[in-house]
Amino acid sequence: MTSTDSVHMQQRSLLSPPVLLLAAVAFVIGTAEFVAIGLVPQLARDLQTTVGAAGLTVTLYALSVGILAIPLGLALADRHPRALLTALLFVFAAANLVAAAAPGLPVLLIGRIASAATQGVALGVAVSTVTTFVAPEARGKAVSLVFGGLMSAMFLGAPIGTYLGGVAGWRAVFVALAALGAVLAMGLWTVLPRRIEGTGVRGGIHQLRVVTVPGVLGLLGVAAGILLVSNFFFPYLGVYLEQSAGMGSGGISVGLGVFGVAGLLGNAIGGYLGGRADTFWVTVLAVIAMSAVAALALSGGAAAVVFPALAVWGAAQMAALPIVTTAVVALGGGFAATLNVALVNLAIAAGGFVGGTFAASAIDLLPWLSVGGFVLVVAALAARHLRAPGASAVRAEVG
């Protein structure tokens, strides 16, 4: 490919095949993570294990992403994005086939961990690669599109996968993920150019210096804190809706779908505010999310309260996260994206482990654990805002 071809590749629109495929990568691998939330009751029954043990398919996945993303990202720093993403997606496909064929929980967890190993690196490389296909002034929007694919996995992929699991069984869900991974691998190999300048996670261990960029660590802490306290409860939302609200697989799918549709709206709002908002608005959104979780806990399983509460929770929480994520990527680039994925997933795992200790015996306590955690997050955000108003801005001039 000539230099002219390379420049031409960098001027494609947000709707060009490379950009859309990279967003699809985020959606599919994100769905692999979140879909197990709605499958936990099925897994526990079919594999004859406890709800807490089945919940490891969620929490161990997140923990594995958190632990493996940074070392694998650094080790694979100099690999070409086209070859690296293709290989990662084929590994992802194989791992999900292992999960689909698992005779018991241990093999299923092996497949889940192998799938998780691909996620952090794939997302970091996808974020840094997507910016090379658009004009400089559109790079922020391209980054937001990829992260929108990841967030849409929680909003759309998880409920769709839960519905498929209810109709065809949980094994069919992992077969479908494997097929999608293989299709994406072949698509990226076909569409991405052989030469892409300025991509990948470059510079090896020196990339860790991104944490010294002013504001990066604080922003990472905000995102991790919100997801930590949310995931005291969220990984077991399917169990809660089944046991406390008396819903079947259809009701669980609707509940996750309501959360998801509202979350898509919140994501759009947060994406719009990404370069304009500060921690005051992040604090307000955290208060709204906390109030919605409290309403859910007080609902008594009444659908008229449960579904609106899920909608408000999803919209508020997912409006806050794009504000923070956009700023992190703008300040620290592709490796900051990988670092964000790692820390957020460690937070998800930690929250899930805490919630898992209560899931089997005290499921009704979980939303109150999240409410208490949100109180601490809100207090920390408010204290930061009041202590140093001029330094509290979460701003990112992107796109």
Side-chain angles (χ1 to χ4, degrees), residues 25 38 40 93 118 126 146 154 170 178 196 201 249 254 314 333 341 380:
V25 168
V40 165
T118 67
V146 173
M154 182 184 292
W170 61 268
I196 306 175
V201 183
S249 61
V254 171
V341 170

Side-chain angles (χ1 to χ4, degrees), residues 258-259 262 285 288-289 291-293 307-318:
V258 166
F259 186 99
L285 290 166
I288 294 172
S291 301
V293 175
F307 293 139
L310 286 172
V312 174
W313 178 17
Q317 178 172 302
M318 298 308 159

Side-chain angles (χ1 to χ4, degrees), residues 251-326:
I252 295 171
S253 296
V254 171
L256 290 174
V258 166
F259 186 99
V261 171
L264 280 174
L265 175 61
N267 181 53
I269 294 170
Y272 174 77
L273 294 174
R276 303 167 180 83
D278 61 25
T279 51
F280 173 78
W281 291 109
V282 177
T283 305
V284 170
L285 290 166
V287 170
I288 294 172
M290 175 183 68
S291 301
V293 175
L296 188 61
L298 294 170
S299 68
V305 179
V306 169
F307 293 139
L310 286 172
V312 174
W313 178 17
Q317 178 172 302
M318 298 308 159
L321 292 176
I323 296 171
V324 178
T325 299
T326 302

Side-chain angles (χ1 to χ4, degrees), residues 15-349:
L15 299 180
S16 66
V19 175
L20 293 178
L21 277 176
L22 290 167
V25 168
F27 175 77
V28 170
I29 63 178
T31 297
E33 176 173 6
F34 298 123
V35 73
I37 295 168
L39 299 178
V40 165
Q42 285 188 49
L43 293 171
R45 287 192 296 268
D46 192 47
L47 300 178
Q48 298 181 343
T49 188
T50 66
V51 166
L56 291 174
T57 57
V58 179
T59 52
L60 270 184
Y61 193 105
L63 181 63
S64 298
V65 174
I67 291 174
L68 297 173
I70 295 174
L72 286 177
L74 294 173
L76 299 171
D78 295 325
R79 300 300 190 272
H80 189 278
R82 178 173 178 254
L84 178 56
L85 285 171
T86 300
L88 288 170
L89 284 165
F90 276 126
V91 172
F92 170 87
N96 279 281
L97 287 178
V98 170
L105 185 62
V107 176
L108 175 59
L109 291 176
I110 290 172
R112 293 288 287 166
I113 292 170
S115 175
T118 67
Q119 180 167 319
V121 180
L123 284 176
V125 175
V127 165
S128 58
T129 301
V130 76
T131 62
T132 69
F133 293 102
V134 296
E137 63 271 15
R139 288 175 181 172
K141 294 183 179 68
V143 168
S144 296
L145 184 62
V146 173
F147 275 96
L150 178 63
M151 292 183 179
S152 296
M154 182 184 292
F155 309 148
L156 295 178
I160 291 171
T162 300
Y163 177 78
L164 176 61
V167 172
W170 61 268
R171 296 180 190 276
V173 176
F174 293 115
V175 170
L177 287 169
L180 289 171
V183 169
L184 278 176
M186 292 183 287
L188 288 172
W189 185 259
T190 302
V191 169
L192 293 185
R194 295 181 181 275
R195 181 179 179 183
I196 306 175
E197 298 295 338
T199 56
V201 183
R202 300 292 181 186
I205 198 69
H206 298 294
Q207 285 293 314
L208 291 175
R209 293 175 181 172
V210 72
V211 300
T212 67
V213 175
V216 167
L217 281 180
L219 291 167
L220 292 173
V222 170
I226 290 173
L227 286 173
L228 170 68
V229 302
S230 176
N231 279 274
F232 292 158
F233 179 33
F234 190 72
Y236 305 98
L237 180 58
V239 180
Y240 181 85
L241 293 177
E242 180 182 62
Q243 296 183 5
S244 296
M247 297 179 180
S249 61
I252 295 171
S253 296
V254 171
L256 290 174
V258 166
F259 186 99
V261 171
L264 280 174
L265 175 61
N267 181 53
I269 294 170
Y272 174 77
L273 294 174
R276 303 167 180 83
D278 61 25
T279 51
F280 173 78
W281 291 109
V282 177
T283 305
V284 170
L285 290 166
V287 170
I288 294 172
M290 175 183 68
S291 301
V293 175
L296 188 61
L298 294 170
S299 68
V305 179
V306 169
F307 293 139
L310 286 172
V312 174
W313 178 17
Q317 178 172 302
M318 298 308 159
L321 292 176
I323 296 171
V324 178
T325 299
T326 302
V328 167
V329 175
L331 289 173
F335 186 72
T338 297
L339 187 60
N340 188 49
V341 170
L343 295 181
V344 159
N345 277 275
L346 285 174
I348 291 172

